[in-house]
Amino acid sequence: MISLIIPMIVVLIAMMFSKKLINDREKSSPFECGFDPKSSARMPFSLQFFLIAVIFLIFDVEIALILPIVIIFKTSNIMIWTKSTMFFIMVLLGGLYYEWNKGMLEWAN
């Protein structure tokens, strides 16, 4: 019985004299990787940056589609290969011209 009472008394005394508070400011605030968590969490989002990222993603996928064209060259008819490759590249250039004409590639207004 004494072996249970003495450790409980020691734990209670340690908790009473502890310097830690239950509502410690640092522990109750969220971890924000060095940023002040008390300021506004919302920052203005640049829609133009998003459009550039989407354009990059689309052209990145299209480059992945262009790479196998070189391998197909060996096994296909040269005329069909040339027409299909030129059509694909013209579609890409048409999309690039449209984006350029709409001003989507300009960084600053």
Side-chain angles (χ1 to χ4, degrees):
M1 186 74 165
I2 294 177
S3 63
L4 291 174
I5 294 175
I6 293 178
M8 289 186 66
I9 291 173
V10 170
V11 169
L12 290 173
I13 291 172
M15 284 176 42
M16 287 174 43
F17 291 117
S18 173
K19 292 183 180 181
K20 295 180 182 178
L21 298 174
I22 294 172
N23 293 331
D24 191 13
R25 179 178 176 257
E26 296 298 324
K27 286 190 176 184
S28 65
S29 67
F31 181 68
E32 294 287 340
C33 300
F35 296 106
D36 184 21
K38 302 298 180 189
S39 65
S40 174
R42 301 283 181 195
M43 293 179 62
F45 182 73
S46 173
L47 187 62
Q48 199 160 15
F49 177 75
F50 175 74
L51 290 175
I52 294 291
V54 168
I55 291 168
F56 170 76
L57 181 66
I58 290 170
F59 279 100
D60 192 39
V61 170
E62 289 168 353
I63 288 173
L65 293 173
I66 288 175
L67 288 176
I69 289 177
V70 177
I71 298 170
I72 295 172
F73 176 70
K74 294 179 182 179
T75 59
S76 66
N77 185 356
I78 188 74
M79 203 60 153
I80 295 172
W81 180 86
T82 304
K83 287 180 183 179
S84 62
T85 303
M86 285 304 190
F87 176 73
F88 189 72
I89 291 175
M90 292 308 259
V91 168
L92 290 180
L93 289 175
L96 180 63
Y97 174 74
Y98 178 77
E99 291 166 355
W100 194 332
N101 195 21
K102 291 291 183 179
M104 297 170 92
L105 299 177
E106 296 177 11
W107 279 102
N109 293 334

